[in-house]
Every structure is written in structure tokens, then in C-alpha cells.
Amino acid sequence: MLELKLDRVTKRFGTKIAVDEMDFILTNGVYGLLGENGAGKTTLMRMMCALLMPDSGEISFCGEEIRRMGAEYRRILGYLPQEFGYYPDFTAERYLKHLAQLKALPPQIIPEKLDEIWELTGLKDAKRQKLKGFSGGMLRRLGIGQALLNNPLVLILDEPTSGLDPKERIRFRNIISSLGKGRIVLLSTHIVQDVEFIADEILFMKGGRLAETGTLQALMQKARGQVWECLVDEEWEKRLNARFLVSNLKYENGQVRLRIVSNEKPVPDAKACEPNLEDVYLYYAGEGRAHGSVSDGII
């Protein structure tokens, strides 16, 4: 069993604490990392890739601190940053061959490995095309491919499906899900559905800390009784939208159906409904608090 452990990891930038005494252990499987912009997700992942050093605390892989492992850790690591660098005048084939050499792959296995990547990413027909002619989705697929070149035991993906169309996203969700069997996969994304379908465990970051962790089922259980639906006119919609966390809004025959995340019933005829991951996200991002209620006399 693999283990990537963070022990009281902290990172500051000036007076701002980006990651605040983070503690958790990742083992084999797929982990979804969710949080608002500025929550500290990218800083956390860069430290887990040894691209940033913590100001305090320790990150270890199978009992050994990763900064002491050096090149040995890089050999078992795959990383897709949100923005990854490439050479516009390189073909996709030349680019991956170049990265394979940088990752110290044995020359005799590179052709076979590249064939696997072309099959995985669906870029075989474009492998001799220059990267400056690639679409955003094609570049994203290439980025996922380069992260997998060295068959990593630790795979860290920052917005891996950004720019992909729905069909490509589904394809890569399935690929990422299958990758979790023999390695540690950490996936950060703003596309909540990607995490909902494939993550074995979900990590919510807020203000540099872990606000909550657990399986999707466990997190939804905690949010039960906090999600409501109601049908109101447009004037009430404006009032409710100003006071509550609204996860969905739909116009129906001159009225508005609202889905609201609140620890109190927002209006007398609101009905409790089963939460989904988007509701859970809002619940933890907003601390599950209602901003006002009918009984407060605010609305």
C-alpha cells in the first residue's frame, strides 16, 4: 500500500498563510480536491510535487521525506499543472520524446510508451502536428499524456479536464478512475461532476485548511436536511437569492424553482431534497449557514 503523508504542512507568502498546518494521509485511490479560488489548492499541490518547500511541517512518501528523496521522488511522480509549458514549434511526438528523455525513461521503451499515450489521449493522428496548431482541448490531452509517461505512483492533476468537451471529459474521467487502482491520484477541479463520479474520497479546502473530508456518501449524509426546493414568484426569487445559498434556479411558467442550501427552511412550503455534490460544496463553502430566514423577519 502506498502512502503520501502531510504532517502539519504550512506555507506562507509574506503575511498571507496559503496552507495552514495541513494534516492528511493519501493511500491508493482517487482523491478529489475542491475549494474556492484562493483556498490554497495549487500551493498545496506544488508542495506535494516538491516544487515548493513548506515553511514548516513535512511531506513524506512511504515514510521518507520527499525533499530528501530528490530525483527518486521525481521518478515516481506525474504532475499536470493548470498551465503547463510547451514548445510551440515542436510536434506532439517530438515534445513527448523530449519529456520522456528528461524523465530518464530507458530509450528502448519510449516508442512503446508513446504508442500507449497516443491511444490513451486520442492524439495519434495529430502526433506530427506542431503544438502551436493544437486546440486548448488537444493541449490538455497532451498534458495528461506527459504526466503519465513515467507510469507514476503519485499522480497530481490540476484542472485536468479544463477545455475538454463533454465526450472527452467522460473519457478522461474513466481513465483517471482506472488509474487509482495501483497509485495515488489527486485531482483538483472546478468541475464538481468530475469529482462526484470518480473520487474515492473528497477533500474540501477553505482558507488554507481542510474544512471536511470523506466519501461522497458520507458528505451527502452530513448535508441531508440542509437542501430545499421551492417554487416562488420572481420578486421572492430576488429576496431569497440575496439571503441564501442558491445552488440552482429554473424558470417555470412565470415562476422560479429554487434549490437552496440552508440549515433552516427558507420558506414555509419549501421541501427537503436529496443533496448532490454541488449542494455539499456550497454547504461547506458557506459553512451550511442560512443568511436569513422568514422567522428572522429579514425576508
Side-chain angles (χ1 to χ4, degrees):
M1 179 70 72
L2 304 174
E3 180 185 275
L4 187 63
K5 181 179 180 181
L6 280 77
D7 181 16
R8 295 169 295 171
V9 171
T10 297
K11 184 66 181 178
R12 298 177 180 84
F13 295 102
T15 58
K16 176 178 172 56
I17 301 177
V19 175
D20 190 6
E21 293 196 345
M22 187 72 75
D23 280 295
F24 63 85
I25 297 173
L26 304 181
T27 57
N28 298 49
V30 179
Y31 295 81
L33 181 62
L34 297 176
E36 298 172 295
N37 289 335
K41 303 187 302 298
T42 295
T43 299
L44 175 67
M45 288 186 292
R46 286 176 61 82
M47 287 192 290
M48 293 171 71
C49 292
L51 297 172
L52 283 176
M53 291 298 109
D55 294 321
S56 60
E58 181 178 292
I59 304 173
S60 60
F61 176 72
C62 294
E64 188 172 357
E65 192 174 4
I66 62 172
R67 61 181 169 184
R68 292 178 183 167
M69 293 176 70
E72 182 186 351
Y73 183 64
R74 290 192 292 275
R75 277 194 291 272
I76 57 95
L77 174 71
Y79 176 46
L80 173 62
Q82 192 167 358
E83 299 290 339
F84 73 95
Y86 62 93
Y87 304 100
D89 286 321
F90 274 28
T91 64
E93 185 173 45
R94 184 183 176 191
Y95 175 73
L96 287 190
K97 282 182 177 178
H98 174 65
L99 288 182
Q101 291 166 351
L102 291 179
K103 291 173 183 274
L105 266 67
Q108 65 272 20
I109 74 165
I110 290 177
E112 181 182 351
K113 192 63 187 176
L114 290 188
D115 284 342
E116 292 177 13
I117 297 300
W118 302 136
E119 185 67 28
L120 183 75
T121 60
L123 290 172
K124 185 176 181 179
D125 292 340
K127 68 181 183 180
R128 292 188 175 90
Q129 183 179 331
K130 288 189 175 181
L131 298 184
K132 62 185 177 184
F134 271 34
S135 67
M138 291 168 73
L139 285 171
R140 209 70 196 151
R141 285 188 272 161
L142 187 69
I144 294 170
Q146 65 79 25
L148 293 169
L149 271 173
N150 56 328
N151 195 29
L153 296 177
V154 177
L155 182 60
I156 296 178
L157 305 170
D158 194 354
E159 300 289 345
T161 58
S162 174
L164 301 183
D165 64 34
K167 184 177 178 180
E168 289 175 319
R169 279 180 46 223
I170 292 168
R171 178 181 182 180
F172 277 99
R173 278 207 310 251
N174 294 338
I175 290 168
I176 292 166
S177 181
S178 68
L179 291 172
K181 294 175 184 176
R183 70 193 83 206
I184 296 167
V185 181
L186 180 65
L187 162 70
S188 172
T189 181
H190 286 94
I191 304 171
V192 174
Q193 291 91 339
D194 287 348
V195 171
E196 186 169 11
F197 283 113
I198 65 174
D200 300 305
E201 188 165 346
I202 297 165
L203 314 173
F204 281 99
M205 276 192 78
K206 184 173 181 178
R209 289 179 171 266
L210 276 184
E212 191 62 68
T213 67
T215 65
L216 175 62
Q217 292 74 21
L219 293 171
M220 288 198 301
Q221 179 62 39
K222 290 183 180 180
R224 284 193 174 97
Q226 315 290 328
V227 184
W228 312 87
E229 279 195 359
C230 56
L231 192 63
V232 297
D233 62 28
E234 291 190 27
E235 182 60 33
W236 270 92
E237 178 269 317
K238 292 176 184 176
R239 296 181 184 181
L240 292 170
N241 222 330
R243 300 293 181 182
F244 293 93
L245 297 170
V246 176
S247 65
N248 196 46
L249 178 155
K250 184 179 180 182
Y251 288 90
E252 295 181 2
N253 301 318
Q255 290 190 294
V256 188
R257 185 172 298 280
L258 296 178
R259 188 177 178 94
I260 293 173
V261 180
S262 168
N263 59 357
E264 296 179 14
K265 184 183 272 196
V267 291
D269 60 349
K271 292 181 171 29
C273 53
E274 189 71 10
N276 58 36
L277 187 56
E278 285 188 342
D279 299 320
V280 172
Y281 179 91
L282 280 179
Y283 175 70
Y284 287 109
E287 298 178 344
R289 303 283 186 214
H291 293 285
S293 68
V294 173
S295 61
D296 293 330
I298 296 173
I299 297 174

